Amino acid sequence: MQKVVLLGFGNVGFHTAKALEAANTIDLLQVYNRNNKTLFSEIKAETTTNISEIKQNADVYIIAIPDDAIQEFTKSLPLKNKLVVHTSGSAAMNAIGNGNRKGVFYPLQTFSKNTEVDFKTIPILIESEHKEDSETLRVLASAISYTVKTISSTQREKLHLAAVFVNNFVNELYHISEEIVQENELDFKLLQPLILETAAKVTRLTPKEAQTGPAKRKDEKTLKKHVHLLHGKQAKKIYKMLTEAILKRYKN
Amino acid sequence: MQKVVLLGFGNVGFHTAKALEAANTIDLLQVYNRNNKTLFSEIKAETTTNISEIKQNADVYIIAIPDDAIQEFTKSLPLKNKLVVHTSGSAAMNAIGNGNRKGVFYPLQTFSKNTEVDFKTIPILIESEHKEDSETLRVLASAISYTVKTISSTQREKLHLAAVFVNNFVNELYHISEEIVQENELDFKLLQPLILETAAKVTRLTPKEAQTGPAKRKDEKTLKKHVHLLHGKQAKKIYKMLTEAILKRYKN
C-alpha cells in the first residue's frame, strides 16, 4: 500500500481524493485544507485544518492548491526529505521549497465540483527531482489512471499552453456563440450537438482532416456576410483572425 | 406516409437518407445524385443520376448540395409547384428557383462520411414560404429528430454564424494546440479528455460559469510566459486576442 497525504481540497483536491480512495493499492492517510470544507464529509480519510498535524509517515504528499500559493505553502510544511509533488500544469517543479524531494503529479483535466469524473481516463503527467522517486509516482498514478507519462517541466508548460487553447479559448468561442444566438432569441442548446460532435471528431480525425466551413472552402461571400452580421468589435476581430488562420492552412 | 425525394448524396445527403429510411412514417421514394455513388448501395431507395427521371409524386423534395450550387440546380429541376427545401445553414430560402414552393430543412450538425450520427439528437430548423407547408415540414422533421424549430432566414444565418465559432474556429484552436504538443514530442491524444470535457461542461454550465484558467484569474505571469513560449506569429496574435476577450469579460 502506498501511503498518501493530500494537501489542499479545492476542485482538483476533491476529485483526486475520491480517486485515491477508490484505488485498493493506496491508503489515503489524511487530507489537509487550511479551512474546514463541507465536502470533507464525502471522504473517509482523516481531515485536518492544522498544518502542524500533518502526518509524517506518508510515501507521497500531493499538493493541490493554486499555482501562486505553492512556493509559500511548501516552505511552511513541517516535513523533511519527503516526496512532495504538486498538481499544477504551469508551476515549475522547483516551486516546491527545499528540504524535501520534489516532484509533479499533473492530472490534465478541468474539474468542477458537482461533476463526477472518470479519473481513469485522465492523463497524469509525472516528473521527479530524484530518479528513485519516479517509480513511486508511476505506480501511484497508474493506480488511478490508464495514462501515465513522465515528461519534463519544459514539456509540461507547453502542454499546459496547448490546454489553454482547447479549454479556455474554446470556451470563450462558446461564449461569443452564446451571445450571437441569444441576441437572436435562439437557445444556445441548439448548438450542443454540434459542440459535442466537433470535440468528438478530433478523437477520430486530425484537426486538419476534421475542418469544414466557409474559410476552408474559401467561400468569400459567406465570410464577408458573417463579418457584416457580427455586432461586437471584438467578435469581428476574432472572426477575421481565425478565418485568416484557416485560410492560410488551406491555401493550396 | 410522407413521400420524399432526396436530391444530392454528399455527407448531409447520405446521413439524411439513412434517417429518412429509418422513420416508419416516411417513404423515401428516390435519391438523385449527379453522379453514381458507391454509397448508393447502402440505401434501399431507388437511385438515379438522371435529373429528368426525378419522380413527380413526392410531398417534399430535399436538396442536399453545396450552398453555391443550389440556385442553378433548382432552376434545372423538372418540377412545378412542388415543396422544394434546401438543407443549408447560410443560403437564403430564395436561393431556390421560382416555380416551386420554397422551404428550408436545416439539420444543425457537422457530418462525416464514416461516422454514424444519432439523427434524433440533431436540431432541425425549418422555414417555409407558404404557411400551409410549415406543418408538412414540421411533421417530416419530427419523424427523424426530437428537436424541430421554425426560425426565420435571419435567425438561421445568425445560427450558422454561431455554428462557425463553435465548430470551425474551435477546430482551428485544436489545430494550433496539436502543433504545440507535436513540436514538443507529445501526443495530441493527451488532450482528448480535456477537449471532450470542455465541450460537455457547457451542456451543464453556461460558458461564463465554465471558464477557468490564467486569463480568467488575471494571472499576468502565466499569460506573459505563454506568449513568450509560442513560436508562430499567428498563434501569438490569437493567444493575445482571446486572452484580451476573456480579461474583458471578467474585469470586475
Side-chain angles (χ1 to χ4, degrees), chain B residues 10 19 23 31-32 89 91 105 116-117 128 149 159 170 192 220 234 248 250:
Chain B
V31 175
Y32 160 85
F105 190 89
E116 292 254 345
V117 290
S128 63
K149 210 175 147 53
L159 192 56
V170 161
Q192 282 180 2
E220 299 284 353
Q234 191 110 30
K248 271 191 191 159
Y250 295 92

mmCIF file with all atom_site columns, all heavy atoms in Angstrom, chain B residues 10 19 23 31-32 89 91 105 116-117 128 149 159 170 192 220 234 248 250:
data_model
loop_
_atom_site.group_PDB
_atom_site.id
_atom_site.type_symbol
_atom_site.label_atom_id
_atom_site.label_alt_id
_atom_site.label_comp_id
_atom_site.label_asym_id
_atom_site.label_entity_id
_atom_site.label_seq_id
_atom_site.pdbx_PDB_ins_code
_atom_site.Cartn_x
_atom_site.Cartn_y
_atom_site.Cartn_z
_atom_site.occupancy
_atom_site.B_iso_or_equiv
_atom_site.pdbx_formal_charge
_atom_site.auth_seq_id
_atom_site.auth_comp_id
_atom_site.auth_asym_id
_atom_site.auth_atom_id
_atom_site.pdbx_PDB_model_num
ATOM 1   N N   . GLY B 1 10  ? -24.094 13.811 -50.784 1.00 0.00 ? 10  GLY B N   1
ATOM 2   C CA  . GLY B 1 10  ? -22.813 14.009 -50.087 1.00 0.00 ? 10  GLY B CA  1
ATOM 3   C C   . GLY B 1 10  ? -22.985 13.581 -48.628 1.00 0.00 ? 10  GLY B C   1
ATOM 4   O O   . GLY B 1 10  ? -23.828 12.740 -48.326 1.00 0.00 ? 10  GLY B O   1
ATOM 5   N N   . ALA B 1 19  ? -31.544 8.463  -42.148 1.00 0.00 ? 19  ALA B N   1
ATOM 6   C CA  . ALA B 1 19  ? -32.532 8.830  -41.131 1.00 0.00 ? 19  ALA B CA  1
ATOM 7   C C   . ALA B 1 19  ? -33.952 8.730  -41.685 1.00 0.00 ? 19  ALA B C   1
ATOM 8   O O   . ALA B 1 19  ? -34.867 8.244  -41.020 1.00 0.00 ? 19  ALA B O   1
ATOM 9   C CB  . ALA B 1 19  ? -32.252 10.248 -40.615 1.00 0.00 ? 19  ALA B CB  1
ATOM 10  N N   . ALA B 1 23  ? -37.260 6.051  -40.522 1.00 0.00 ? 23  ALA B N   1
ATOM 11  C CA  . ALA B 1 23  ? -38.536 6.529  -39.960 1.00 0.00 ? 23  ALA B CA  1
ATOM 12  C C   . ALA B 1 23  ? -39.703 5.797  -40.624 1.00 0.00 ? 23  ALA B C   1
ATOM 13  O O   . ALA B 1 23  ? -39.791 5.738  -41.851 1.00 0.00 ? 23  ALA B O   1
ATOM 14  C CB  . ALA B 1 23  ? -38.655 8.034  -40.186 1.00 0.00 ? 23  ALA B CB  1
ATOM 15  N N   . VAL B 1 31  ? -33.468 8.752  -54.543 1.00 0.00 ? 31  VAL B N   1
ATOM 16  C CA  . VAL B 1 31  ? -32.333 9.625  -54.271 1.00 0.00 ? 31  VAL B CA  1
ATOM 17  C C   . VAL B 1 31  ? -31.662 9.947  -55.595 1.00 0.00 ? 31  VAL B C   1
ATOM 18  O O   . VAL B 1 31  ? -31.315 9.039  -56.361 1.00 0.00 ? 31  VAL B O   1
ATOM 19  C CB  . VAL B 1 31  ? -31.319 8.974  -53.307 1.00 0.00 ? 31  VAL B CB  1
ATOM 20  C CG1 . VAL B 1 31  ? -30.081 9.862  -53.148 1.00 0.00 ? 31  VAL B CG1 1
ATOM 21  C CG2 . VAL B 1 31  ? -31.951 8.701  -51.942 1.00 0.00 ? 31  VAL B CG2 1
ATOM 22  N N   . TYR B 1 32  ? -31.504 11.230 -55.857 1.00 0.00 ? 32  TYR B N   1
ATOM 23  C CA  . TYR B 1 32  ? -30.794 11.661 -57.064 1.00 0.00 ? 32  TYR B CA  1
ATOM 24  C C   . TYR B 1 32  ? -29.405 12.164 -56.681 1.00 0.00 ? 32  TYR B C   1
ATOM 25  O O   . TYR B 1 32  ? -29.239 12.849 -55.661 1.00 0.00 ? 32  TYR B O   1
ATOM 26  C CB  . TYR B 1 32  ? -31.560 12.799 -57.767 1.00 0.00 ? 32  TYR B CB  1
ATOM 27  C CG  . TYR B 1 32  ? -30.683 13.608 -58.702 1.00 0.00 ? 32  TYR B CG  1
ATOM 28  C CD1 . TYR B 1 32  ? -30.460 13.200 -60.016 1.00 0.00 ? 32  TYR B CD1 1
ATOM 29  C CD2 . TYR B 1 32  ? -30.044 14.773 -58.254 1.00 0.00 ? 32  TYR B CD2 1
ATOM 30  C CE1 . TYR B 1 32  ? -29.622 13.928 -60.858 1.00 0.00 ? 32  TYR B CE1 1
ATOM 31  C CE2 . TYR B 1 32  ? -29.208 15.504 -59.085 1.00 0.00 ? 32  TYR B CE2 1
ATOM 32  C CZ  . TYR B 1 32  ? -28.998 15.077 -60.390 1.00 0.00 ? 32  TYR B CZ  1
ATOM 33  O OH  . TYR B 1 32  ? -28.166 15.787 -61.217 1.00 0.00 ? 32  TYR B OH  1
ATOM 34  N N   . GLY B 1 89  ? -27.386 26.026 -43.889 1.00 0.00 ? 89  GLY B N   1
ATOM 35  C CA  . GLY B 1 89  ? -27.483 26.981 -42.787 1.00 0.00 ? 89  GLY B CA  1
ATOM 36  C C   . GLY B 1 89  ? -27.377 28.407 -43.262 1.00 0.00 ? 89  GLY B C   1
ATOM 37  O O   . GLY B 1 89  ? -27.975 29.313 -42.679 1.00 0.00 ? 89  GLY B O   1
ATOM 38  N N   . ALA B 1 91  ? -27.487 29.569 -46.857 1.00 0.00 ? 91  ALA B N   1
ATOM 39  C CA  . ALA B 1 91  ? -28.156 30.014 -48.088 1.00 0.00 ? 91  ALA B CA  1
ATOM 40  C C   . ALA B 1 91  ? -29.561 30.538 -47.769 1.00 0.00 ? 91  ALA B C   1
ATOM 41  O O   . ALA B 1 91  ? -30.244 30.019 -46.885 1.00 0.00 ? 91  ALA B O   1
ATOM 42  C CB  . ALA B 1 91  ? -28.241 28.856 -49.083 1.00 0.00 ? 91  ALA B CB  1
ATOM 43  N N   . PHE B 1 105 ? -34.811 23.159 -44.578 1.00 0.00 ? 105 PHE B N   1
ATOM 44  C CA  . PHE B 1 105 ? -34.811 21.994 -43.701 1.00 0.00 ? 105 PHE B CA  1
ATOM 45  C C   . PHE B 1 105 ? -33.347 21.810 -43.292 1.00 0.00 ? 105 PHE B C   1
ATOM 46  O O   . PHE B 1 105 ? -32.594 21.090 -43.936 1.00 0.00 ? 105 PHE B O   1
ATOM 47  C CB  . PHE B 1 105 ? -35.323 20.792 -44.521 1.00 0.00 ? 105 PHE B CB  1
ATOM 48  C CG  . PHE B 1 105 ? -35.615 19.543 -43.752 1.00 0.00 ? 105 PHE B CG  1
ATOM 49  C CD1 . PHE B 1 105 ? -36.884 19.315 -43.204 1.00 0.00 ? 105 PHE B CD1 1
ATOM 50  C CD2 . PHE B 1 105 ? -34.643 18.547 -43.586 1.00 0.00 ? 105 PHE B CD2 1
ATOM 51  C CE1 . PHE B 1 105 ? -37.175 18.132 -42.524 1.00 0.00 ? 105 PHE B CE1 1
ATOM 52  C CE2 . PHE B 1 105 ? -34.939 17.370 -42.901 1.00 0.00 ? 105 PHE B CE2 1
ATOM 53  C CZ  . PHE B 1 105 ? -36.206 17.165 -42.372 1.00 0.00 ? 105 PHE B CZ  1
ATOM 54  N N   . GLU B 1 116 ? -21.277 7.301  -37.802 1.00 0.00 ? 116 GLU B N   1
ATOM 55  C CA  . GLU B 1 116 ? -22.709 7.184  -37.540 1.00 0.00 ? 116 GLU B CA  1
ATOM 56  C C   . GLU B 1 116 ? -23.142 8.397  -36.714 1.00 0.00 ? 116 GLU B C   1
ATOM 57  O O   . GLU B 1 116 ? -22.431 8.827  -35.812 1.00 0.00 ? 116 GLU B O   1
ATOM 58  C CB  . GLU B 1 116 ? -22.978 5.927  -36.701 1.00 0.00 ? 116 GLU B CB  1
ATOM 59  C CG  . GLU B 1 116 ? -22.719 4.627  -37.420 1.00 0.00 ? 116 GLU B CG  1
ATOM 60  C CD  . GLU B 1 116 ? -24.029 3.917  -37.804 1.00 0.00 ? 116 GLU B CD  1
ATOM 61  O OE1 . GLU B 1 116 ? -25.086 4.285  -37.273 1.00 0.00 ? 116 GLU B OE1 1
ATOM 62  O OE2 . GLU B 1 116 ? -23.967 3.012  -38.647 1.00 0.00 ? 116 GLU B OE2 1
ATOM 63  N N   . VAL B 1 117 ? -24.287 8.935  -37.033 1.00 0.00 ? 117 VAL B N   1
ATOM 64  C CA  . VAL B 1 117 ? -24.815 10.006 -36.185 1.00 0.00 ? 117 VAL B CA  1
ATOM 65  C C   . VAL B 1 117 ? -26.182 9.581  -35.672 1.00 0.00 ? 117 VAL B C   1
ATOM 66  O O   . VAL B 1 117 ? -26.889 8.827  -36.338 1.00 0.00 ? 117 VAL B O   1
ATOM 67  C CB  . VAL B 1 117 ? -24.988 11.335 -36.949 1.00 0.00 ? 117 VAL B CB  1
ATOM 68  C CG1 . VAL B 1 117 ? -23.658 11.936 -37.294 1.00 0.00 ? 117 VAL B CG1 1
ATOM 69  C CG2 . VAL B 1 117 ? -25.844 11.160 -38.196 1.00 0.00 ? 117 VAL B CG2 1
ATOM 70  N N   . SER B 1 128 ? -40.679 27.976 -44.187 1.00 0.00 ? 128 SER B N   1
ATOM 71  C CA  . SER B 1 128 ? -41.384 27.730 -45.444 1.00 0.00 ? 128 SER B CA  1
ATOM 72  C C   . SER B 1 128 ? -41.956 29.029 -45.997 1.00 0.00 ? 128 SER B C   1
ATOM 73  O O   . SER B 1 128 ? -42.337 29.938 -45.255 1.00 0.00 ? 128 SER B O   1
ATOM 74  C CB  . SER B 1 128 ? -42.507 26.707 -45.242 1.00 0.00 ? 128 SER B CB  1
ATOM 75  O OG  . SER B 1 128 ? -43.472 27.223 -44.345 1.00 0.00 ? 128 SER B OG  1
ATOM 76  N N   . LYS B 1 149 ? -37.624 23.239 -34.924 1.00 0.00 ? 149 LYS B N   1
ATOM 77  C CA  . LYS B 1 149 ? -37.989 24.602 -34.603 1.00 0.00 ? 149 LYS B CA  1
ATOM 78  C C   . LYS B 1 149 ? -38.144 25.394 -35.900 1.00 0.00 ? 149 LYS B C   1
ATOM 79  O O   . LYS B 1 149 ? -37.350 25.232 -36.823 1.00 0.00 ? 149 LYS B O   1
ATOM 80  C CB  . LYS B 1 149 ? -36.864 25.216 -33.752 1.00 0.00 ? 149 LYS B CB  1
ATOM 81  C CG  . LYS B 1 149 ? -37.346 26.272 -32.762 1.00 0.00 ? 149 LYS B CG  1
ATOM 82  C CD  . LYS B 1 149 ? -36.217 26.735 -31.882 1.00 0.00 ? 149 LYS B CD  1
ATOM 83  C CE  . LYS B 1 149 ? -36.410 28.197 -31.519 1.00 0.00 ? 149 LYS B CE  1
ATOM 84  N NZ  . LYS B 1 149 ? -37.711 28.548 -30.937 1.00 0.00 ? 149 LYS B NZ  1
ATOM 85  N N   . LEU B 1 159 ? -27.585 31.796 -36.594 1.00 0.00 ? 159 LEU B N   1
ATOM 86  C CA  . LEU B 1 159 ? -27.296 30.489 -36.006 1.00 0.00 ? 159 LEU B CA  1
ATOM 87  C C   . LEU B 1 159 ? -26.108 29.834 -36.713 1.00 0.00 ? 159 LEU B C   1
ATOM 88  O O   . LEU B 1 159 ? -25.220 29.249 -36.084 1.00 0.00 ? 159 LEU B O   1
ATOM 89  C CB  . LEU B 1 159 ? -28.544 29.613 -36.131 1.00 0.00 ? 159 LEU B CB  1
ATOM 90  C CG  . LEU B 1 159 ? -28.586 28.311 -35.339 1.00 0.00 ? 159 LEU B CG  1
ATOM 91  C CD1 . LEU B 1 159 ? -28.380 28.561 -33.856 1.00 0.00 ? 159 LEU B CD1 1
ATOM 92  C CD2 . LEU B 1 159 ? -29.933 27.613 -35.565 1.00 0.00 ? 159 LEU B CD2 1
ATOM 93  N N   . VAL B 1 170 ? -13.326 26.591 -33.307 1.00 0.00 ? 170 VAL B N   1
ATOM 94  C CA  . VAL B 1 170 ? -12.873 25.689 -32.248 1.00 0.00 ? 170 VAL B CA  1
ATOM 95  C C   . VAL B 1 170 ? -11.896 24.666 -32.830 1.00 0.00 ? 170 VAL B C   1
ATOM 96  O O   . VAL B 1 170 ? -10.838 24.401 -32.255 1.00 0.00 ? 170 VAL B O   1
ATOM 97  C CB  . VAL B 1 170 ? -14.072 24.991 -31.564 1.00 0.00 ? 170 VAL B CB  1
ATOM 98  C CG1 . VAL B 1 170 ? -13.630 23.737 -30.810 1.00 0.00 ? 170 VAL B CG1 1
ATOM 99  C CG2 . VAL B 1 170 ? -14.774 25.968 -30.614 1.00 0.00 ? 170 VAL B CG2 1
ATOM 100 N N   . GLN B 1 192 ? -7.245  14.840 -25.373 1.00 0.00 ? 192 GLN B N   1
ATOM 101 C CA  . GLN B 1 192 ? -8.615  14.417 -25.716 1.00 0.00 ? 192 GLN B CA  1
ATOM 102 C C   . GLN B 1 192 ? -9.604  14.460 -24.550 1.00 0.00 ? 192 GLN B C   1
ATOM 103 O O   . GLN B 1 192 ? -10.714 14.970 -24.714 1.00 0.00 ? 192 GLN B O   1
ATOM 104 C CB  . GLN B 1 192 ? -8.597  13.036 -26.358 1.00 0.00 ? 192 GLN B CB  1
ATOM 105 C CG  . GLN B 1 192 ? -8.162  13.094 -27.817 1.00 0.00 ? 192 GLN B CG  1
ATOM 106 C CD  . GLN B 1 192 ? -8.143  11.722 -28.481 1.00 0.00 ? 192 GLN B CD  1
ATOM 107 O OE1 . GLN B 1 192 ? -8.486  10.720 -27.879 1.00 0.00 ? 192 GLN B OE1 1
ATOM 108 N NE2 . GLN B 1 192 ? -7.737  11.699 -29.736 1.00 0.00 ? 192 GLN B NE2 1
ATOM 109 N N   . GLU B 1 220 ? -1.121  37.359 -14.668 1.00 0.00 ? 220 GLU B N   1
ATOM 110 C CA  . GLU B 1 220 ? -0.261  38.056 -15.640 1.00 0.00 ? 220 GLU B CA  1
ATOM 111 C C   . GLU B 1 220 ? 1.036   37.300 -15.920 1.00 0.00 ? 220 GLU B C   1
ATOM 112 O O   . GLU B 1 220 ? 1.529   37.300 -17.046 1.00 0.00 ? 220 GLU B O   1
ATOM 113 C CB  . GLU B 1 220 ? 0.086   39.467 -15.144 1.00 0.00 ? 220 GLU B CB  1
ATOM 114 C CG  . GLU B 1 220 ? -1.094  40.401 -14.935 1.00 0.00 ? 220 GLU B CG  1
ATOM 115 C CD  . GLU B 1 220 ? -1.653  40.952 -16.262 1.00 0.00 ? 220 GLU B CD  1
ATOM 116 O OE1 . GLU B 1 220 ? -1.031  40.702 -17.319 1.00 0.00 ? 220 GLU B OE1 1
ATOM 117 O OE2 . GLU B 1 220 ? -2.721  41.610 -16.228 1.00 0.00 ? 220 GLU B OE2 1
ATOM 118 N N   . GLN B 1 234 ? 1.156   33.986 -35.830 1.00 0.00 ? 234 GLN B N   1
ATOM 119 C CA  . GLN B 1 234 ? -0.298  33.876 -35.845 1.00 0.00 ? 234 GLN B CA  1
ATOM 120 C C   . GLN B 1 234 ? -0.824  33.350 -34.503 1.00 0.00 ? 234 GLN B C   1
ATOM 121 O O   . GLN B 1 234 ? -1.781  33.886 -33.948 1.00 0.00 ? 234 GLN B O   1
ATOM 122 C CB  . GLN B 1 234 ? -0.707  32.909 -36.958 1.00 0.00 ? 234 GLN B CB  1
ATOM 123 C CG  . GLN B 1 234 ? -2.174  32.901 -37.238 1.00 0.00 ? 234 GLN B CG  1
ATOM 124 C CD  . GLN B 1 234 ? -2.485  33.518 -38.589 1.00 0.00 ? 234 GLN B CD  1
ATOM 125 O OE1 . GLN B 1 234 ? -1.679  33.457 -39.521 1.00 0.00 ? 234 GLN B OE1 1
ATOM 126 N NE2 . GLN B 1 234 ? -3.632  34.135 -38.700 1.00 0.00 ? 234 GLN B NE2 1
ATOM 127 N N   . LYS B 1 248 ? -11.563 40.976 -20.533 1.00 0.00 ? 248 LYS B N   1
ATOM 128 C CA  . LYS B 1 248 ? -12.650 41.961 -20.558 1.00 0.00 ? 248 LYS B CA  1
ATOM 129 C C   . LYS B 1 248 ? -13.912 41.428 -19.897 1.00 0.00 ? 248 LYS B C   1
ATOM 130 O O   . LYS B 1 248 ? -14.615 42.165 -19.212 1.00 0.00 ? 248 LYS B O   1
ATOM 131 C CB  . LYS B 1 248 ? -12.976 42.341 -22.008 1.00 0.00 ? 248 LYS B CB  1
ATOM 132 C CG  . LYS B 1 248 ? -12.154 43.507 -22.499 1.00 0.00 ? 248 LYS B CG  1
ATOM 133 C CD  . LYS B 1 248 ? -12.685 44.034 -23.827 1.00 0.00 ? 248 LYS B CD  1
ATOM 134 C CE  . LYS B 1 248 ? -11.683 45.010 -24.421 1.00 0.00 ? 248 LYS B CE  1
ATOM 135 N NZ  . LYS B 1 248 ? -11.875 45.171 -25.873 1.00 0.00 ? 248 LYS B NZ  1
ATOM 136 N N   . TYR B 1 250 ? -14.204 39.325 -17.496 1.00 0.00 ? 250 TYR B N   1
ATOM 137 C CA  . TYR B 1 250 ? -14.109 39.102 -16.048 1.00 0.00 ? 250 TYR B CA  1
ATOM 138 C C   . TYR B 1 250 ? -13.428 40.276 -15.356 1.00 0.00 ? 250 TYR B C   1
ATOM 139 O O   . TYR B 1 250 ? -12.868 40.120 -14.289 1.00 0.00 ? 250 TYR B O   1
ATOM 140 C CB  . TYR B 1 250 ? -13.366 37.790 -15.763 1.00 0.00 ? 250 TYR B CB  1
ATOM 141 C CG  . TYR B 1 250 ? -14.119 36.582 -16.274 1.00 0.00 ? 250 TYR B CG  1
ATOM 142 C CD1 . TYR B 1 250 ? -13.879 36.084 -17.549 1.00 0.00 ? 250 TYR B CD1 1
ATOM 143 C CD2 . TYR B 1 250 ? -15.092 35.956 -15.489 1.00 0.00 ? 250 TYR B CD2 1
ATOM 144 C CE1 . TYR B 1 250 ? -14.589 34.983 -18.034 1.00 0.00 ? 250 TYR B CE1 1
ATOM 145 C CE2 . TYR B 1 250 ? -15.801 34.866 -15.965 1.00 0.00 ? 250 TYR B CE2 1
ATOM 146 C CZ  . TYR B 1 250 ? -15.543 34.387 -17.242 1.00 0.00 ? 250 TYR B CZ  1
ATOM 147 O OH  . TYR B 1 250 ? -16.245 33.302 -17.718 1.00 0.00 ? 250 TYR B OH  1
#
